[in-house]
Amino acid sequence: MFRGNLGESSPTAINGLMATFYHKNKLCWLPVSRYVSTALASVAEASTLKRMITEYGMANPVVRGCLFEMLFFEEVKRNGLSLTLRGESKESLEHWEVCPIDSFNPRCPLLESLPEARTCFRPEGIFQGGFDAVIVDREAQKVEFVQVTIAMKHSFKLKYFSQALIALGIPEGTGWNLRVIFVTLPTNLKRFRIEPVEDSGALARYGWKRGKESEQAEVAALDITV
C-alpha cells in the first residue's frame, strides 16, 4: 500500500511522484513514475538501483522495469557488464568492458562516421521499438543490440534492427558480427521466451537466416545482487 501526497493538478507541472510505504517494518520511499525513475537513475549508483529493484520495486512493474534499464546503462558507463548467457546445455559468463554512451536517431543516418572507440548508442526516443541500446565496435566489426526487459517474454521486431544498421552505416553482408541479446532478470533466464517474431527476413542481408531469428538471438541475465 502506497501513501503519497498529491497536490492540485496542472497541465504544466508534475506532482505526487514519490510515495512512502513500509517494507519489513521499515518506512521506505519509491518513485512511482517513469519520469522520476529516469531522473533518479541518472545520478544514482548501481548499488542503489539494485536495492530499489530487489527490495522496493516489486509492487510497480513499470518503475521496476525502468530502474532495471537504467541499471544496465549505469553498468555500461561506470563498471562494465557481467552477464550470464543462457545456453542449450549450460550457462556461461561474459564480461563487457566499460564504454561511453552516446545518443542517436535510428531513423536518420549518422552525420559523422562511427567513432573509433567501442561505443554504446542509445535511441533518442523513449518509445523506440525493438531495442534499448546498440553497442558498436568498429575495430572488431561487431554490433550488439540489447533489449532490456523484466518480462517473461518479449517481442522481436526485426525492422527496427534493420533501420538502425542502415542509420549506423553498417555494410550488408557477413563481414560484421551481428548479435541481438535480450537482457532480463536472473529469475527469468531459463524460462524467458522471444515471441512473437515480426518482419522475418529483415536481417537476411546481414547474414541472419529467415525464420530462425529467435534461435539466433541470445538471452542473458544481469545480476542485481547488492
Side-chain angles (χ1 to χ4, degrees):
M1 175 72 74
F2 286 118
R3 182 182 63 199
N5 296 319
L6 180 65
E8 295 183 2
S9 62
S10 169
T12 59
I14 302 175
N15 199 356
L17 299 176
M18 306 299 295
T20 59
F21 63 102
Y22 284 93
H23 176 74
K24 297 180 179 179
N25 296 321
K26 180 181 178 182
L27 184 64
C28 307
W29 60 269
L30 184 72
V32 291
S33 80
R34 183 181 180 88
Y35 171 80
V36 172
S37 300
T38 303
L40 173 65
S42 65
V43 297
E45 296 183 355
S47 59
T48 300
L49 296 176
K50 289 180 179 180
R51 187 176 302 108
M52 294 180 70
I53 293 169
T54 56
E55 296 184 13
Y56 312 144
M58 298 297 292
N60 192 322
V62 174
V63 171
R64 193 182 190 211
C66 182
L67 292 172
F68 188 57
E69 180 182 331
M70 294 303 107
L71 173 63
F72 167 82
F73 286 107
E74 176 71 12
E75 296 284 48
V76 167
K77 181 174 62 177
R78 298 188 184 182
N79 306 313
L81 277 176
S82 293
L83 297 174
T84 302
L85 292 173
R86 185 175 74 184
E88 293 184 2
S89 58
K90 63 179 181 179
E91 299 171 353
S92 60
L93 298 178
E94 185 170 305
H95 181 74
W96 293 5
E97 297 296 333
V98 171
C99 69
I101 297 175
D102 200 356
S103 61
F104 85 117
N105 184 345
R107 296 179 177 83
C108 300
L110 289 181
L111 298 178
E112 302 177 356
S113 59
L114 289 171
E116 295 185 4
R118 179 172 170 269
T119 302
C120 176
F121 289 96
R122 185 176 185 179
E124 293 176 351
I126 61 173
F127 298 113
Q128 165 65 33
F131 61 92
D132 294 311
V134 52
I135 300 176
V136 180
D137 190 331
R138 192 173 77 173
E139 182 177 355
Q141 293 191 319
K142 179 185 293 186
V143 179
E144 295 165 317
F145 285 98
V146 177
Q147 173 63 59
V148 183
T149 176
I150 64 170
M152 289 302 301
K153 69 175 183 177
H154 200 285
S155 61
F156 195 1
K157 300 180 180 181
L158 293 154
K159 69 177 183 180
Y160 294 111
F161 299 85
S162 177
Q163 289 174 356
L165 290 168
I166 294 172
L168 292 168
I170 305 300
E172 298 179 4
T174 57
W176 282 63
N177 180 15
L178 173 61
R179 301 176 69 190
V180 177
I181 304 102
F182 289 81
V183 175
T184 187
L185 298 168
T187 53
N188 296 352
L189 182 60
K190 293 182 178 180
R191 297 178 294 164
F192 183 82
R193 307 188 309 279
I194 302 173
E195 59 180 36
V197 177
E198 300 180 13
D199 313 304
S200 181
L203 296 180
R205 68 186 73 175
Y206 296 97
W208 277 49
K209 296 180 180 180
R210 180 188 295 271
K212 300 291 184 180
E213 290 92 353
S214 62
E215 299 175 19
Q216 291 184 257
E218 302 170 70
V219 180
L222 174 60
D223 184 22
I224 57 174
T225 304
V226 181

